[in-house]
Amino acid sequence: MKKGTLKQILLITDGCSNKGEDPAATAALANQQGITVNVIGILDDDQTEDPQGLEEVEEIALSGGGVSQLVYKQSLSQTVQMVTKQAMTQTLQGFVNKELKQILGSNQSLEDLEPEKRGEIMEVVEDMGETCDLEVLVLVDTSASMHDKLPTVKEALIDLSISLNARIGRNRFCIFNFPGKRKDIQKVFDWSPKLDEVSTIFPELTSGGITPTGPAIRGAMYQFGKNYLRSFKDEDEPGMEEAWN
Amino acid sequence: MKMNQEWKKHGIELRPGMRIKGKWHKKSYVIKRKLGSGAIGAVYLCELNGKQAALKISDKGTSMTVEVNVLKSLKKVQGNRLGPYLLDVDDWISPHGTIYSFYVMEYLRGETMTSFINHHGREWIGVFMLQLLEDLERLHHSGWVFGDLKTENLLILHSPPRIRWVDVGGTTQIGRAIKEYTEFYDRGYWGLGSRRAEPSYDLFAFVMVFLHVYYPKRFEKSIQSEKTIFKKIDDVKSLSPYSYLLKKAILGKYQSSYQMKQELIDVLYRVQNRRRSKNKKKRKNTAPFIVEAGGITILAVSYYLFSLLL
């Protein structure tokens, strides 16, 4: 099977969007372009697990073909890497399911196979998850309420890079924050194989309570196009991008 | 794991007395009680034809399949059983029509290592270290790394006391990225190594397992991880015979569990000999020590010799 590149947007936020288009709609658009949108909603310590203002987190991930999770900041590191890996498996499994349908007929999916055969197929999915290349664009909400959470976010992202770089496949990360000064999103850190201490310095927080999540996702989507020409080009086979679509 | 409470879909609650019938193999299990729950699914004590077994059930079919794959590969590892024995894999369709994956495994009954050592004395530390290293050696030899090695995933079975692995869900092929980990036991979290599956990854967690016995509340990370962990090792008197080994494992200096095991055996011999010669000089005062040191060594060494015979 051909090796491919998985593309993910990882949105980290603590509140509801309040400006621009519906983020679930832009996430659906991104998904159409072969980009998975994952969302992590950070809860404040005094919030319950079913808080107001974070309902859209699940919506965005659902239309973005990704995984969502609400979490207190203490567990952010483990959650970030779990969500990313789960989404990878989910995407790859979707791809395998499509192939299965072509081979076995339109109504067959992994769940319709008996457990023994399922096991063999999951081994293939795991192999792919271990060896495929991965691009993650981290999109961090830097509105005022995120202030005390950013150091934890930074730690979690470095930790994510440790986890993913233990894989055999190659990785590229970049970090954007939103809202940007004059634009929807602003680059914090350009595409690179590794995140480390120095690379994750967030700019000053924006105040005013504007959270344009929708436009931010749209902005993030275009960053993959730019990146596509540059990243991995040395070793890639032509046409590999299509392998996942 | 702390994260469990925050993890979104908990799946289902099965009530005692419920019958779970498999979609494929048609076996029918009666639920007795809940044994525990983790990031992926919950484990119940169940009964089939009067025999007890543990049944793990979850709505995360993919992750369950991955775990079953691991249990199957461990079956192929020669020698003693490493994980629980896998009995059945199937799906269950709930009355609401939702499909859940489940698998049934051997039910292991025992006590945690912490409570065992507290009840039966520290002379067992060396024995369990030896047993655990031996199991790890066999696992590594067959191309796997335990990954999520932690106190909660270990159980001491009785007569004879034997350490056993209860949850092998994190087991990862050597050379790949560790599938599952718990921060306290993870060298990546402490900044003391990568999350690539290598024997030394397990040996780091091995040390943390024995530290956890003496620090049940665990301890916090600091900027100088190495110093913190070394200090914690030094502060436990019961671990002092092994402190050199444990520190070496923290620094990732063992290439294999075999190497560490050999050094552990040397330590156990040396402790015995030193105590014996001391004993000749001042026989009166040291009597309790001989009993203790001798006890450790005799137990450990005889266990080792015994295992060689197997």
Side-chain angles (χ1 to χ4, degrees), chain B residues 6-179:
Chain B
E6 287 117 50
W7 205 249
K8 199 170 35 182
K9 285 160 192 160
H10 280 267
I12 29 148
E13 272 310 310
L14 299 181
R15 285 179 312 277
M18 269 175 92
R19 268 180 188 282
I20 302 295
K21 190 174 177 186
K23 173 186 168 187
W24 303 92
H25 305 141
K26 310 284 181 206
K27 282 187 187 157
S28 179
Y29 301 91
V30 181
I31 298 298
K32 292 283 162 195
R33 64 186 165 90
K34 193 172 187 169
L35 294 171
S37 60
I40 304 155
V43 183
Y44 292 88
L45 178 66
C46 71
E47 225 179 65
L48 174 73
N49 304 331
K51 275 185 191 158
Q52 289 195 325
L55 180 146
K56 184 164 184 177
I57 188 161
S58 164
D59 56 351
K60 296 188 177 71
T62 314
S63 314
M64 292 286 278
T65 308
V66 172
E67 287 192 13
V68 167
N69 279 348
V70 169
L71 284 168
K72 280 187 181 161
S73 358
L74 289 186
K75 246 184 183 176
K76 292 172 199 155
V77 177
Q78 298 262 315
N80 290 4
R81 282 172 194 171
L82 288 177
Y85 195 75
L86 183 65
L87 300 165
D88 190 16
V89 185
D90 215 324
D91 292 335
W92 177 62
I93 304 168
S94 78
H96 305 289
T98 325
I99 299 177
Y100 295 95
S101 298
F102 73 85
Y103 62 82
V104 183
M105 56 196 158
E106 161 193 23
Y107 172 50
L108 298 172
R109 206 178 329 194
E111 119 181 68
T112 65
M113 189 160 72
T114 311
S115 100
F116 190 97
I117 290 174
N118 287 340
H119 287 130
H120 298 87
R122 61 180 184 200
E123 61 269 30
W124 285 95
I125 297 172
V127 179
F128 293 143
M129 281 184 173
L130 211 52
Q131 288 184 355
L132 192 52
L133 281 176
E134 215 162 67
D135 286 350
L136 286 175
E137 187 189 336
R138 259 210 320 280
L139 181 73
H140 296 162
H141 193 72
S142 58
W144 296 83
V145 155
F146 195 102
D148 202 8
L149 180 60
K150 55 177 171 181
T151 325
E152 296 90 320
N153 284 343
L154 299 170
L155 213 55
I156 307 296
L157 308 191
H158 291 275
S159 45
R162 179 75 174 89
I163 204 162
R164 278 290 295 269
W165 303 345
V166 280
D167 187 347
V168 292
T171 308
T172 310
Q173 269 167 276
I174 287 179
R176 297 195 163 191
I178 291 292
K179 216 181 279 172

Side-chain angles (χ1 to χ4, degrees), chain B residues 151-220:
Chain B
T151 325
E152 296 90 320
N153 284 343
L154 299 170
L155 213 55
I156 307 296
L157 308 191
H158 291 275
S159 45
R162 179 75 174 89
I163 204 162
R164 278 290 295 269
W165 303 345
V166 280
D167 187 347
V168 292
T171 308
T172 310
Q173 269 167 276
I174 287 179
R176 297 195 163 191
I178 291 292
K179 216 181 279 172
E180 218 175 87
Y181 62 85
T182 305
E183 280 175 351
F184 181 74
Y185 303 85
D186 165 49
R187 67 179 185 189
Y189 167 78
W190 291 95
L192 291 168
S194 77
R195 281 194 190 121
R196 177 147 306 171
E198 323 171 302
S200 54
Y201 184 91
D202 278 346
L203 295 179
F204 181 96
F206 172 96
V207 177
M208 301 313 275
V209 163
F210 286 93
L211 277 176
H212 187 234
V213 172
Y214 293 97
Y215 300 94
K217 287 178 183 159
R218 303 182 184 177
F219 45 86
E220 290 291 309

